[in-house]
Amino acid sequence: MKIEQIYTGCIAHAAYYIENNGEAAIFDPLREVQPYIDRAFKDNAKIKYVFLTHFHADFVSGHLDLASKTNAKIVYGPTAKPAYEIISATDGQVFEVGNYKVKVIHTPGHTMESTTYLLIDENGREHGIITGDTLFIGDVGRPDLAQHVIAELTQDKLARHLFHSLREKIMPLSDDLIVYPNHGAGSACGKMMSKETTDTLGNQKKTNYALNPKMSEDEFVTAVLTGLTAPPAYFPANVLMNIKGYESLDAVMKKAKTPLNPIEFEAAANETRALILDTRTAEEFAKGFIPNSINIGLDGNFAMWVGEMISDIKQEILLVTTLGNEEESMVRLSRIGYDHTIGYLEGGFASWKNKGFETDTIDRITTEELEKSINFAETPIFDVRKKSEFLSEHLIGATNVPLNEINSHLAEFPKDKKFILHCAGGYRSMIAASILKQRGWDNFVDVVGGFEAIKNTNLPKTDYVCPTTLL
């Protein structure tokens, strides 16, 4: 069967493309749809359907733009009632794509409309299942997200729906089916996803804790709800955009692609409520940046941290990027619904600096310098990693303020003495550093290499505890 997984690592997302006899279908497309159109064009095929497994929370799907540009029909499973025209498929309904068949299997649990699509080849052989967030490799979709949009859909109710969907709809299927999930490791839509992005259903029945046939319903509910962390704040807003509709990406990009010279950029920053977002690396940012800008680098978990640290999805944004990364920054913002970029600094930070405008820097220190020059009895240490990372191992005497909680713990950072800031590798601590700078702190140093570098020193650390044991 001709199926391609189109994987986007920065948000750990998998879309799927199938084609047969001049007809094609796309499953769970991202916001930027031209690559899917180009792929079908290469096969001289017409995109007939856009299948959605559910209303996504971690990204804005490209189904509306794709349908508009190709006249494809949008298909959701049962119970989906968006504000635009769709085919609301019934459980068991079959769609034809060339000589292939796509069978709808309603699998509520992650959300109520969650649907799995069974792929059947031209010879009538069942090939695989596109599972969305119902079944991952090594995990299942978290059942606590829908309650942030519909309060009565509690995580307990959805977990029980998921239990029955897996036992009654998925597990009876053939072991040789290939599982094609919507996400891999790194996504916030699950908690223990594998780095592998496909597997056989038979192997998942053997290895995936959630498919243990001996597990009772109550035991399943406990297992899938244990260890869940709070979802990124932008998730409910993305769900609503996927339900209600949104502006086309072409229109969003037209506004965002506004080059501003340093004088125009400064005027825009002063005359609007725009946030200056610098997407360069932590190393570049530390050496020089525009005062009051926030650093969230494209080289890390950009989408997740934008969603965590910029609370208003309608926030106007002015971009500072590495030369050549302007459009990539805009697209990756719009993938998660941040559609209000109003321009970018033409020529990058160098143009600002060459104009003689005010700049700022972040003081950084190596672990060797840390060992030699810091009096740990007098210098506070702030570790901005997740609580689980901190509990696993940390510098003795350090205070844990997870990055996503920093705005509610600002009072803990002293202003009358020097302090140390670090995360795991330097990405998150630079986000924290930029926020502290914006709020008036200037009495800290950031540790180059973070805790990964600290582990290789003789600095006093707690005994290591495996994160699995903590869970």
Side-chain angles (χ1 to χ4, degrees), residues 3-20:
I3 177 170
E4 292 183 21
Q5 182 184 73
I6 304 171
Y7 199 79
T8 304
C10 62
I11 57 172
H13 165 271
Y16 295 92
Y17 167 85
I18 64 171
E19 185 274 330
N20 180 261

Side-chain angles (χ1 to χ4, degrees), residues 118-271:
L118 175 63
L119 305 178
I120 303 169
D121 70 16
E122 65 271 33
N123 299 313
R125 187 180 74 87
E126 295 180 352
H127 169 81
I129 46 176
I130 293 178
T131 56
D133 287 19
T134 295
L135 176 63
F136 298 127
I137 308 306
D139 201 0
V140 290
R142 52 192 295 171
D144 64 321
L145 299 181
Q147 66 188 358
H148 295 278
V149 179
I150 304 174
E152 59 265 28
L153 286 178
T154 66
Q155 60 184 24
D156 182 82
K157 287 181 182 178
L158 285 169
R160 294 181 188 281
H161 278 297
L162 184 58
F163 175 84
H164 289 284
S165 290
L166 293 169
R167 264 80 187 152
E168 297 163 15
K169 298 290 189 71
I170 300 296
M171 292 175 68
L173 296 173
S174 174
D175 285 357
D176 62 358
L177 290 179
I178 299 174
V179 177
Y180 296 107
N182 189 212
H183 296 294
S187 168
C189 293
K191 59 184 179 181
M192 296 191 298
M193 282 180 270
S194 169
K195 292 181 180 179
E196 302 299 321
T197 59
T198 62
D199 194 9
T200 63
L201 181 57
N203 193 52
Q204 283 303 294
K205 290 177 185 178
K206 294 176 184 177
T207 60
N208 191 319
Y209 76 96
L211 301 187
N212 181 351
K214 297 180 180 179
M215 187 184 292
S216 70
E217 182 173 329
D218 287 340
E219 289 171 334
F220 174 89
V221 171
T222 298
V224 297
L225 297 182
T226 298
L228 292 176
T229 57
Y234 73 94
F235 272 26
N238 275 202
V239 171
L240 291 174
M241 288 179 72
N242 283 320
I243 292 173
K244 296 179 179 180
Y246 48 79
E247 191 174 16
S248 74
L249 182 61
D250 290 344
V252 171
M253 292 295 287
K254 184 177 180 180
K255 290 183 291 185
K257 289 182 180 179
T258 302
L260 301 170
N261 63 41
I263 294 173
E264 294 168 332
F265 191 91
E266 183 182 47
N270 291 334
E271 295 169 7

Side-chain angles (χ1 to χ4, degrees), residues 402-447:
L403 176 58
N404 63 334
E405 300 176 16
I406 191 170
N407 286 318
S408 58
H409 291 272
L410 290 173
E412 297 182 29
F413 294 93
K415 285 193 171 180
D416 59 348
K417 63 170 67 174
K418 188 174 185 178
F419 61 89
I420 300 164
L421 197 65
H422 79 82
C423 63
Y427 180 85
R428 285 173 286 178
S429 62
M430 192 54 62
I431 299 174
S434 66
I435 290 170
L436 290 171
K437 276 278 190 175
Q438 187 191 55
R439 303 298 176 84
W441 275 265
D442 196 31
N443 51 314
F444 63 87
V445 294
D446 174 57
V447 179

Side-chain angles (χ1 to χ4, degrees), residues 32-52:
E32 62 276 23
V33 301
Q34 193 59 44
Y36 309 120
I37 296 172
D38 292 343
R39 184 65 192 85
F41 180 80
K42 182 180 178 182
D43 285 337
N44 195 27
K46 175 180 174 58
I47 298 176
K48 185 178 182 181
Y49 295 114
V50 184
F51 291 99
L52 283 303

